[in-house]
Amino acid sequence: MAVAQPKTDATEARIAALTMPEGASWATEARKGALARLRASGLPGPRDEYWRFTNPAGLVEPEAPRAATFSDTDERPIFDAIDRVKLVFVDGVFDEGLSDDPALAGVEILRLSDALSRDIHWARDLYGALEERGQTPVVRPLAALNTAFATDGVAIRATGKAERPVNLIYLHRSETSDAILHHLVRVEEGAELTVLENGPAASRFNKCTEIDVAKGGTFHHVRAQGRDHERRAVTHMFARVAEEARYKSFTLTANGVMTRNEHVIEIVGDEAIAHVAGAALGDGRTGKFHHDDTVFITHDAVGCESRQVFKKVLRNGAEGVFQGKILVKPGAQKTDGYQISQSLLLDEDSSFQAKPELEIYADDVACSHGSTTGAIDETALFYLRSRGVPTAEATDLLVLAFVAEAIDEIEDEALRADILDRLSGWLERRRQG
Amino acid sequence: MLEIKNLHVKLEEEDKAILKGVDLSVEAGKVHAIMGPNGSGKSTLSYVLSGRDGYAVTDGTATLDGEDLLEMEPEERAAAGLFLAFQYPVEIPGVGNMTFLRTALNAQRRARGQEEMSSADFLKTIREKAKALKIDSEMLKRPVNVGFSGGEKKRNEILQMAMLEPKMCILDETDSGLDVDAMKLVADGVNALRDAGRGFLVITHYQRLLDHIAPDVVHIMANGKIVATGGPELALEVEKNGYASFESEAA
């Protein structure tokens, strides 16, 4: 299908502003392949079906829109109490001085530029591979752009149980930064790894992570996107989940003028599990808030379980979007798929749009999906108030209750407590106005 | 303690009068019962006193120890010492029963300028009180009223009452949906709270609850008014003859 001229022009203008980093010949081939995919599809435009609810303006221009940095020193840094290995990126550039010794994680960790300039078989097999697979049946041009031009990132390979979680911390210091990071994660047979991510990263952040979980492997991911009000982010998590492997991801988002988080997960081995969850808190009073969760889970094996649990709390004109799909391929019998997307609108100015989809080609499956939009339950609110809980506090309690199902997807108790702490902090700040 | 004078209330949306001049006075240390047929306005009275939306007071007053209840927000009424045990306790998914009670207790204490109760004291107290009501630790951990049986919900209401120690307790049809054993548990819970400083208003359709919670005064409500007031014998009369004679009086 030919790309319309204005779109081609916009795409070429963006490409012209970027430089393809050097690397091993196989890496350059992978990047060129991605560039070809980007040119074939063109950058997303407002008329694209997959961008119907989220205007890609701000994500596609050659220059990143200016975004003020934000100091969140009013709360303890997230994951601070967790014994983890910090890898810090400042405006999208790895900062060795601020980072811990990667060796402490007990897994192989390489900077992306190192991984892509050597002949590392697992990195070669992975870089751009899952992203490319994720381009059908729906194109994801910003992910292709990422593969072609990513300037930094890490490649992590776990061959056993990691000693500590790897915490990727993204600091935002420049008002004009435009960061493109690409991470590779390979969890070998029976290995276990937890990756934590936090921070706004840059004024505009394009991040792509490719995660390959081998047989019986476990991958946990907990992310807290930064509180910067003006930042923009588009992220892709491409995962391939093998037999009896487990993939679990949770994201907390508060603030941000624009966030689009895509998850593209392919379950390729029997009896595997893939869960993705998210809680987004949006308050339009402190700047525009638009948050989009786009999830595509493909079942291509027998007896697998997938969950999509997304909750959004929106007020003062905040906008929430959910596009979620479960695709069950022929032969993927005994699939257990569940998807829930809900929004709690705290006023009439906020909005939520959801597009839940099931596409099933196997006959022995149990799949369900639900999507709701609602206000605070007045009966519950009165019940709480009648017991002496003031309205604001009662509302917060109901908000926490509303997002609980998503938070509960975090298995680790300490991490769950940390995320709950963030949520309470957000509510507290909102209450104080 | 609770003084209600000439209280007139209508439904806000339908412009329909429900209470048509209620006069009632509950003294500290006493248990008053209000009996009446369905639709007489008993539950409306409890809602209006606790501050539920949807009702408009068109005339009259209601005070608790001289403080104007009708001017207060529901949470202020609670902090002032009013408690309504709901006819239909509300399920709140996602909010743990313990969290709920601790939040409520400490919010009331803050509102009264008292210190919050420590976690340790709270745990100790709630365990004791829950035990008496045969509420196990599992029920305390579960989300508020979610998946509770009718009897469990009512016991949970009494537990809240026991923890919050209000001075004026209103029980709205607390016997509905209870079997005899559950009713006895609930009644024991209420009786344990009876003391000289606390007033009770027990709203019920049937006399049977009053076998277990012996009232000092019984009022009959019909068509939005108190139409008869007497001792416990009044309840027995209703049991025998029904409400028909009182309703004709009210009309």
Side-chain angles (χ1 to χ4, degrees), chain A residues 325-356:
Chain A
K325 180 155 182 168
I326 306 173
L327 169 63
V328 180
K329 289 203 168 175
Q333 302 296 6
K334 308 284 181 198
T335 287
D336 171 4
Y338 170 72
Q339 178 196 91
I340 183 89
S341 65
Q342 295 181 304
S343 75
L344 180 61
L345 304 182
L346 296 178
D347 54 49
E348 288 176 2
D349 301 328
S350 302
S351 67
F352 176 60
Q353 285 170 300
K355 188 179 175 193

PDB file of all heavy atoms in Angstrom, chain A residues 325-356:
ATOM      1  N   LYS A 325      -6.235  -6.224  22.561  1.00  0.00           N
ATOM      2  CA  LYS A 325      -6.682  -7.336  21.732  1.00  0.00           C
ATOM      3  C   LYS A 325      -6.138  -8.657  22.245  1.00  0.00           C
ATOM      4  O   LYS A 325      -4.994  -8.735  22.700  1.00  0.00           O
ATOM      5  CB  LYS A 325      -6.204  -7.121  20.297  1.00  0.00           C
ATOM      6  CG  LYS A 325      -6.630  -8.224  19.350  1.00  0.00           C
ATOM      7  CD  LYS A 325      -6.682  -7.705  17.941  1.00  0.00           C
ATOM      8  CE  LYS A 325      -7.142  -8.791  16.992  1.00  0.00           C
ATOM      9  NZ  LYS A 325      -7.466  -8.262  15.687  1.00  0.00           N
ATOM     10  N   ILE A 326      -6.980  -9.666  22.188  1.00  0.00           N
ATOM     11  CA  ILE A 326      -6.522 -11.029  22.418  1.00  0.00           C
ATOM     12  C   ILE A 326      -6.747 -11.767  21.100  1.00  0.00           C
ATOM     13  O   ILE A 326      -7.877 -11.829  20.612  1.00  0.00           O
ATOM     14  CB  ILE A 326      -7.343 -11.747  23.520  1.00  0.00           C
ATOM     15  CG1 ILE A 326      -7.369 -10.925  24.819  1.00  0.00           C
ATOM     16  CG2 ILE A 326      -6.785 -13.141  23.788  1.00  0.00           C
ATOM     17  CD1 ILE A 326      -8.311 -11.498  25.887  1.00  0.00           C
ATOM     18  N   LEU A 327      -5.672 -12.264  20.533  1.00  0.00           N
ATOM     19  CA  LEU A 327      -5.793 -13.049  19.299  1.00  0.00           C
ATOM     20  C   LEU A 327      -5.439 -14.496  19.632  1.00  0.00           C
ATOM     21  O   LEU A 327      -4.341 -14.782  20.104  1.00  0.00           O
ATOM     22  CB  LEU A 327      -4.833 -12.498  18.235  1.00  0.00           C
ATOM     23  CG  LEU A 327      -4.634 -13.352  16.970  1.00  0.00           C
ATOM     24  CD1 LEU A 327      -5.937 -13.504  16.177  1.00  0.00           C
ATOM     25  CD2 LEU A 327      -3.556 -12.733  16.061  1.00  0.00           C
ATOM     26  N   VAL A 328      -6.410 -15.372  19.407  1.00  0.00           N
ATOM     27  CA  VAL A 328      -6.167 -16.794  19.669  1.00  0.00           C
ATOM     28  C   VAL A 328      -6.063 -17.502  18.331  1.00  0.00           C
ATOM     29  O   VAL A 328      -7.031 -17.580  17.575  1.00  0.00           O
ATOM     30  CB  VAL A 328      -7.299 -17.403  20.528  1.00  0.00           C
ATOM     31  CG1 VAL A 328      -7.024 -18.879  20.792  1.00  0.00           C
ATOM     32  CG2 VAL A 328      -7.455 -16.640  21.830  1.00  0.00           C
ATOM     33  N   LYS A 329      -4.862 -18.001  18.037  1.00  0.00           N
ATOM     34  CA  LYS A 329      -4.621 -18.612  16.737  1.00  0.00           C
ATOM     35  C   LYS A 329      -5.206 -20.021  16.666  1.00  0.00           C
ATOM     36  O   LYS A 329      -5.441 -20.645  17.713  1.00  0.00           O
ATOM     37  CB  LYS A 329      -3.122 -18.641  16.464  1.00  0.00           C
ATOM     38  CG  LYS A 329      -2.548 -17.259  16.176  1.00  0.00           C
ATOM     39  CD  LYS A 329      -1.274 -17.402  15.393  1.00  0.00           C
ATOM     40  CE  LYS A 329      -0.809 -16.073  14.829  1.00  0.00           C
ATOM     41  NZ  LYS A 329       0.496 -16.221  14.169  1.00  0.00           N
ATOM     42  N   PRO A 330      -5.414 -20.529  15.460  1.00  0.00           N
ATOM     43  CA  PRO A 330      -5.933 -21.887  15.336  1.00  0.00           C
ATOM     44  C   PRO A 330      -5.013 -22.854  16.099  1.00  0.00           C
ATOM     45  O   PRO A 330      -3.796 -22.734  16.026  1.00  0.00           O
ATOM     46  CB  PRO A 330      -5.875 -22.167  13.825  1.00  0.00           C
ATOM     47  CG  PRO A 330      -5.874 -20.830  13.184  1.00  0.00           C
ATOM     48  CD  PRO A 330      -5.195 -19.898  14.139  1.00  0.00           C
ATOM     49  N   GLY A 331      -5.588 -23.734  16.834  1.00  0.00           N
ATOM     50  CA  GLY A 331      -4.792 -24.713  17.570  1.00  0.00           C
ATOM     51  C   GLY A 331      -4.410 -24.275  18.968  1.00  0.00           C
ATOM     52  O   GLY A 331      -3.961 -25.090  19.767  1.00  0.00           O
ATOM     53  N   ALA A 332      -4.609 -22.994  19.286  1.00  0.00           N
ATOM     54  CA  ALA A 332      -4.249 -22.523  20.633  1.00  0.00           C
ATOM     55  C   ALA A 332      -5.386 -22.876  21.594  1.00  0.00           C
ATOM     56  O   ALA A 332      -6.037 -22.004  22.174  1.00  0.00           O
ATOM     57  CB  ALA A 332      -3.964 -21.025  20.626  1.00  0.00           C
ATOM     58  N   GLN A 333      -5.600 -24.188  21.754  1.00  0.00           N
ATOM     59  CA  GLN A 333      -6.715 -24.656  22.589  1.00  0.00           C
ATOM     60  C   GLN A 333      -6.415 -24.417  24.061  1.00  0.00           C
ATOM     61  O   GLN A 333      -5.276 -24.207  24.452  1.00  0.00           O
ATOM     62  CB  GLN A 333      -6.966 -26.154  22.344  1.00  0.00           C
ATOM     63  CG  GLN A 333      -7.287 -26.510  20.892  1.00  0.00           C
ATOM     64  CD  GLN A 333      -8.589 -25.910  20.368  1.00  0.00           C
ATOM     65  OE1 GLN A 333      -9.252 -25.117  21.035  1.00  0.00           O
ATOM     66  NE2 GLN A 333      -8.955 -26.260  19.137  1.00  0.00           N
ATOM     67  N   LYS A 334      -7.464 -24.492  24.858  1.00  0.00           N
ATOM     68  CA  LYS A 334      -7.373 -24.318  26.324  1.00  0.00           C
ATOM     69  C   LYS A 334      -6.781 -22.955  26.695  1.00  0.00           C
ATOM     70  O   LYS A 334      -6.164 -22.812  27.750  1.00  0.00           O
ATOM     71  CB  LYS A 334      -6.517 -25.429  26.960  1.00  0.00           C
ATOM     72  CG  LYS A 334      -6.936 -26.845  26.590  1.00  0.00           C
ATOM     73  CD  LYS A 334      -8.162 -27.264  27.335  1.00  0.00           C
ATOM     74  CE  LYS A 334      -8.559 -28.700  26.965  1.00  0.00           C
ATOM     75  NZ  LYS A 334      -9.948 -28.996  27.334  1.00  0.00           N
ATOM     76  N   THR A 335      -6.969 -21.993  25.813  1.00  0.00           N
ATOM     77  CA  THR A 335      -6.503 -20.644  26.135  1.00  0.00           C
ATOM     78  C   THR A 335      -7.409 -20.027  27.187  1.00  0.00           C
ATOM     79  O   THR A 335      -8.620 -20.149  27.112  1.00  0.00           O
ATOM     80  CB  THR A 335      -6.514 -19.766  24.868  1.00  0.00           C
ATOM     81  OG1 THR A 335      -5.444 -20.167  24.015  1.00  0.00           O
ATOM     82  CG2 THR A 335      -6.350 -18.285  25.201  1.00  0.00           C
ATOM     83  N   ASP A 336      -6.785 -19.375  28.170  1.00  0.00           N
ATOM     84  CA  ASP A 336      -7.531 -18.651  29.191  1.00  0.00           C
ATOM     85  C   ASP A 336      -7.135 -17.191  29.069  1.00  0.00           C
ATOM     86  O   ASP A 336      -6.059 -16.789  29.497  1.00  0.00           O
ATOM     87  CB  ASP A 336      -7.160 -19.240  30.565  1.00  0.00           C
ATOM     88  CG  ASP A 336      -7.716 -18.413  31.731  1.00  0.00           C
ATOM     89  OD1 ASP A 336      -8.451 -17.435  31.481  1.00  0.00           O
ATOM     90  OD2 ASP A 336      -7.392 -18.749  32.882  1.00  0.00           O
ATOM     91  N   GLY A 337      -7.988 -16.417  28.438  1.00  0.00           N
ATOM     92  CA  GLY A 337      -7.656 -15.016  28.207  1.00  0.00           C
ATOM     93  C   GLY A 337      -8.649 -14.100  28.904  1.00  0.00           C
ATOM     94  O   GLY A 337      -9.853 -14.344  28.894  1.00  0.00           O
ATOM     95  N   TYR A 338      -8.137 -13.073  29.537  1.00  0.00           N
ATOM     96  CA  TYR A 338      -9.004 -12.144  30.275  1.00  0.00           C
ATOM     97  C   TYR A 338      -8.506 -10.732  30.047  1.00  0.00           C
ATOM     98  O   TYR A 338      -7.307 -10.484  30.070  1.00  0.00           O
ATOM     99  CB  TYR A 338      -8.959 -12.502  31.758  1.00  0.00           C
ATOM    100  CG  TYR A 338      -9.601 -11.506  32.702  1.00  0.00           C
ATOM    101  CD1 TYR A 338     -10.987 -11.368  32.757  1.00  0.00           C
ATOM    102  CD2 TYR A 338      -8.828 -10.720  33.555  1.00  0.00           C
ATOM    103  CE1 TYR A 338     -11.579 -10.478  33.653  1.00  0.00           C
ATOM    104  CE2 TYR A 338      -9.416  -9.829  34.448  1.00  0.00           C
ATOM    105  CZ  TYR A 338     -10.790  -9.713  34.491  1.00  0.00           C
ATOM    106  OH  TYR A 338     -11.363  -8.829  35.379  1.00  0.00           O
ATOM    107  N   GLN A 339      -9.444  -9.864  29.826  1.00  0.00           N
ATOM    108  CA  GLN A 339      -9.066  -8.467  29.604  1.00  0.00           C
ATOM    109  C   GLN A 339     -10.071  -7.563  30.291  1.00  0.00           C
ATOM    110  O   GLN A 339     -11.276  -7.748  30.129  1.00  0.00           O
ATOM    111  CB  GLN A 339      -9.082  -8.205  28.100  1.00  0.00           C
ATOM    112  CG  GLN A 339      -8.757  -6.800  27.696  1.00  0.00           C
ATOM    113  CD  GLN A 339      -9.179  -6.522  26.262  1.00  0.00           C
ATOM    114  OE1 GLN A 339     -10.293  -6.081  26.007  1.00  0.00           O
ATOM    115  NE2 GLN A 339      -8.303  -6.812  25.324  1.00  0.00           N
ATOM    116  N   ILE A 340      -9.582  -6.628  31.078  1.00  0.00           N
ATOM    117  CA  ILE A 340     -10.491  -5.670  31.703  1.00  0.00           C
ATOM    118  C   ILE A 340      -9.872  -4.276  31.596  1.00  0.00           C
ATOM    119  O   ILE A 340      -8.699  -4.083  31.872  1.00  0.00           O
ATOM    120  CB  ILE A 340     -10.788  -6.047  33.175  1.00  0.00           C
ATOM    121  CG1 ILE A 340     -11.802  -5.098  33.817  1.00  0.00           C
ATOM    122  CG2 ILE A 340      -9.528  -6.086  34.034  1.00  0.00           C
ATOM    123  CD1 ILE A 340     -13.212  -5.521  33.643  1.00  0.00           C
ATOM    124  N   SER A 341     -10.659  -3.341  31.134  1.00  0.00           N
ATOM    125  CA  SER A 341     -10.183  -1.957  31.095  1.00  0.00           C
ATOM    126  C   SER A 341     -11.279  -1.097  31.686  1.00  0.00           C
ATOM    127  O   SER A 341     -12.428  -1.151  31.267  1.00  0.00           O
ATOM    128  CB  SER A 341      -9.878  -1.526  29.667  1.00  0.00           C
ATOM    129  OG  SER A 341     -11.047  -1.494  28.896  1.00  0.00           O
ATOM    130  N   GLN A 342     -10.911  -0.339  32.698  1.00  0.00           N
ATOM    131  CA  GLN A 342     -11.916   0.456  33.397  1.00  0.00           C
ATOM    132  C   GLN A 342     -11.402   1.851  33.681  1.00  0.00           C
ATOM    133  O   GLN A 342     -10.221   2.046  33.933  1.00  0.00           O
ATOM    134  CB  GLN A 342     -12.269  -0.215  34.733  1.00  0.00           C
ATOM    135  CG  GLN A 342     -12.934  -1.561  34.537  1.00  0.00           C
ATOM    136  CD  GLN A 342     -13.302  -2.208  35.848  1.00  0.00           C
ATOM    137  OE1 GLN A 342     -12.449  -2.392  36.704  1.00  0.00           O
ATOM    138  NE2 GLN A 342     -14.559  -2.551  36.015  1.00  0.00           N
ATOM    139  N   SER A 343     -12.314   2.765  33.638  1.00  0.00           N
ATOM    140  CA  SER A 343     -11.920   4.116  34.024  1.00  0.00           C
ATOM    141  C   SER A 343     -12.860   4.636  35.088  1.00  0.00           C
ATOM    142  O   SER A 343     -14.047   4.312  35.103  1.00  0.00           O
ATOM    143  CB  SER A 343     -11.920   5.052  32.823  1.00  0.00           C
ATOM    144  OG  SER A 343     -13.237   5.379  32.480  1.00  0.00           O
ATOM    145  N   LEU A 344     -12.284   5.414  35.972  1.00  0.00           N
ATOM    146  CA  LEU A 344     -13.059   6.096  37.006  1.00  0.00           C
ATOM    147  C   LEU A 344     -12.961   7.576  36.680  1.00  0.00           C
ATOM    148  O   LEU A 344     -11.878   8.164  36.754  1.00  0.00           O
ATOM    149  CB  LEU A 344     -12.441   5.788  38.374  1.00  0.00           C
ATOM    150  CG  LEU A 344     -13.100   6.400  39.598  1.00  0.00           C
ATOM    151  CD1 LEU A 344     -14.535   5.933  39.754  1.00  0.00           C
ATOM    152  CD2 LEU A 344     -12.300   6.055  40.842  1.00  0.00           C
ATOM    153  N   LEU A 345     -14.068   8.147  36.265  1.00  0.00           N
ATOM    154  CA  LEU A 345     -14.062   9.562  35.897  1.00  0.00           C
ATOM    155  C   LEU A 345     -14.523  10.371  37.107  1.00  0.00           C
ATOM    156  O   LEU A 345     -15.642  10.204  37.577  1.00  0.00           O
ATOM    157  CB  LEU A 345     -14.992   9.813  34.708  1.00  0.00           C
ATOM    158  CG  LEU A 345     -14.718   8.989  33.438  1.00  0.00           C
ATOM    159  CD1 LEU A 345     -15.690   9.375  32.324  1.00  0.00           C
ATOM    160  CD2 LEU A 345     -13.289   9.183  32.961  1.00  0.00           C
ATOM    161  N   LEU A 346     -13.644  11.239  37.585  1.00  0.00           N
ATOM    162  CA  LEU A 346     -13.978  11.987  38.793  1.00  0.00           C
ATOM    163  C   LEU A 346     -14.761  13.265  38.489  1.00  0.00           C
ATOM    164  O   LEU A 346     -15.170  13.966  39.387  1.00  0.00           O
ATOM    165  CB  LEU A 346     -12.710  12.294  39.593  1.00  0.00           C
ATOM    166  CG  LEU A 346     -11.985  11.047  40.128  1.00  0.00           C
ATOM    167  CD1 LEU A 346     -10.712  11.435  40.861  1.00  0.00           C
ATOM    168  CD2 LEU A 346     -12.888  10.232  41.047  1.00  0.00           C
ATOM    169  N   ASP A 347     -14.936  13.548  37.211  1.00  0.00           N
ATOM    170  CA  ASP A 347     -15.790  14.675  36.837  1.00  0.00           C
ATOM    171  C   ASP A 347     -16.278  14.449  35.412  1.00  0.00           C
ATOM    172  O   ASP A 347     -15.921  13.478  34.770  1.00  0.00           O
ATOM    173  CB  ASP A 347     -15.025  16.001  36.953  1.00  0.00           C
ATOM    174  CG  ASP A 347     -13.725  15.974  36.161  1.00  0.00           C
ATOM    175  OD1 ASP A 347     -13.752  15.575  34.970  1.00  0.00           O
ATOM    176  OD2 ASP A 347     -12.674  16.328  36.725  1.00  0.00           O
ATOM    177  N   GLU A 348     -17.080  15.402  34.932  1.00  0.00           N
ATOM    178  CA  GLU A 348     -17.685  15.216  33.612  1.00  0.00           C
ATOM    179  C   GLU A 348     -16.798  15.711  32.477  1.00  0.00           C
ATOM    180  O   GLU A 348     -17.120  15.525  31.309  1.00  0.00           O
ATOM    181  CB  GLU A 348     -19.053  15.910  33.562  1.00  0.00           C
ATOM    182  CG  GLU A 348     -20.082  15.153  34.385  1.00  0.00           C
ATOM    183  CD  GLU A 348     -21.432  15.848  34.448  1.00  0.00           C
ATOM    184  OE1 GLU A 348     -21.586  16.907  33.816  1.00  0.00           O
ATOM    185  OE2 GLU A 348     -22.314  15.317  35.141  1.00  0.00           O
ATOM    186  N   ASP A 349     -15.680  16.351  32.805  1.00  0.00           N
ATOM    187  CA  ASP A 349     -14.795  16.876  31.761  1.00  0.00           C
ATOM    188  C   ASP A 349     -13.836  15.825  31.230  1.00  0.00           C
ATOM    189  O   ASP A 349     -13.227  16.004  30.173  1.00  0.00           O
ATOM    190  CB  ASP A 349     -13.947  18.035  32.315  1.00  0.00           C
ATOM    191  CG  ASP A 349     -14.812  19.160  32.837  1.00  0.00           C
ATOM    192  OD1 ASP A 349     -15.903  19.346  32.266  1.00  0.00           O
ATOM    193  OD2 ASP A 349     -14.409  19.834  33.796  1.00  0.00           O
ATOM    194  N   SER A 350     -13.646  14.760  31.981  1.00  0.00           N
ATOM    195  CA  SER A 350     -12.654  13.759  31.590  1.00  0.00           C
ATOM    196  C   SER A 350     -13.280  12.724  30.671  1.00  0.00           C
ATOM    197  O   SER A 350     -14.491  12.583  30.612  1.00  0.00           O
ATOM    198  CB  SER A 350     -12.083  13.095  32.842  1.00  0.00           C
ATOM    199  OG  SER A 350     -11.512  14.091  33.667  1.00  0.00           O
ATOM    200  N   SER A 351     -12.431  12.006  29.945  1.00  0.00           N
ATOM    201  CA  SER A 351     -12.992  11.049  28.990  1.00  0.00           C
ATOM    202  C   SER A 351     -12.158   9.785  28.906  1.00  0.00           C
ATOM    203  O   SER A 351     -10.964   9.782  29.184  1.00  0.00           O
ATOM    204  CB  SER A 351     -13.078  11.690  27.602  1.00  0.00           C
ATOM    205  OG  SER A 351     -11.769  11.934  27.102  1.00  0.00           O
ATOM    206  N   PHE A 352     -12.819   8.732  28.518  1.00  0.00           N
ATOM    207  CA  PHE A 352     -12.159   7.432  28.366  1.00  0.00           C
ATOM    208  C   PHE A 352     -12.703   6.766  27.116  1.00  0.00           C
ATOM    209  O   PHE A 352     -13.907   6.722  26.899  1.00  0.00           O
ATOM    210  CB  PHE A 352     -12.448   6.564  29.593  1.00  0.00           C
ATOM    211  CG  PHE A 352     -11.891   5.168  29.506  1.00  0.00           C
ATOM    212  CD1 PHE A 352     -10.518   4.960  29.365  1.00  0.00           C
ATOM    213  CD2 PHE A 352     -12.724   4.060  29.576  1.00  0.00           C
ATOM    214  CE1 PHE A 352     -10.001   3.668  29.294  1.00  0.00           C
ATOM    215  CE2 PHE A 352     -12.212   2.766  29.504  1.00  0.00           C
ATOM    216  CZ  PHE A 352     -10.850   2.570  29.366  1.00  0.00           C
ATOM    217  N   GLN A 353     -11.792   6.289  26.287  1.00  0.00           N
ATOM    218  CA  GLN A 353     -12.229   5.573  25.103  1.00  0.00           C
ATOM    219  C   GLN A 353     -11.570   4.205  25.086  1.00  0.00           C
ATOM    220  O   GLN A 353     -10.361   4.086  25.331  1.00  0.00           O
ATOM    221  CB  GLN A 353     -11.868   6.366  23.853  1.00  0.00           C
ATOM    222  CG  GLN A 353     -12.803   7.545  23.680  1.00  0.00           C
ATOM    223  CD  GLN A 353     -12.358   8.492  22.600  1.00  0.00           C
ATOM    224  OE1 GLN A 353     -11.282   9.055  22.676  1.00  0.00           O
ATOM    225  NE2 GLN A 353     -13.193   8.646  21.597  1.00  0.00           N
ATOM    226  N   ALA A 354     -12.361   3.189  24.822  1.00  0.00           N
ATOM    227  CA  ALA A 354     -11.819   1.838  24.880  1.00  0.00           C
ATOM    228  C   ALA A 354     -12.221   1.054  23.650  1.00  0.00           C
ATOM    229  O   ALA A 354     -13.326   1.202  23.133  1.00  0.00           O
ATOM    230  CB  ALA A 354     -12.324   1.125  26.125  1.00  0.00           C
ATOM    231  N   LYS A 355     -11.271   0.256  23.180  1.00  0.00           N
ATOM    232  CA  LYS A 355     -11.559  -0.616  22.053  1.00  0.00           C
ATOM    233  C   LYS A 355     -11.070  -2.020  22.413  1.00  0.00           C
ATOM    234  O   LYS A 355      -9.922  -2.368  22.142  1.00  0.00           O
ATOM    235  CB  LYS A 355     -10.856  -0.098  20.806  1.00  0.00           C
ATOM    236  CG  LYS A 355     -11.257  -0.830  19.544  1.00  0.00           C
ATOM    237  CD  LYS A 355     -10.528  -0.227  18.358  1.00  0.00           C
ATOM    238  CE  LYS A 355     -10.809  -1.015  17.088  1.00  0.00           C
ATOM    239  NZ  LYS A 355      -9.880  -0.645  16.024  1.00  0.00           N
ATOM    240  N   PRO A 356     -11.907  -2.779  23.088  1.00  0.00           N
ATOM    241  CA  PRO A 356     -11.520  -4.146  23.430  1.00  0.00           C
ATOM    242  C   PRO A 356     -11.833  -5.083  22.269  1.00  0.00           C
ATOM    243  O   PRO A 356     -12.896  -4.970  21.654  1.00  0.00           O
ATOM    244  CB  PRO A 356     -12.412  -4.476  24.636  1.00  0.00           C
ATOM    245  CG  PRO A 356     -13.472  -3.423  24.668  1.00  0.00           C
ATOM    246  CD  PRO A 356     -13.252  -2.439  23.569  1.00  0.00           C
TER     247      PRO A 356
END
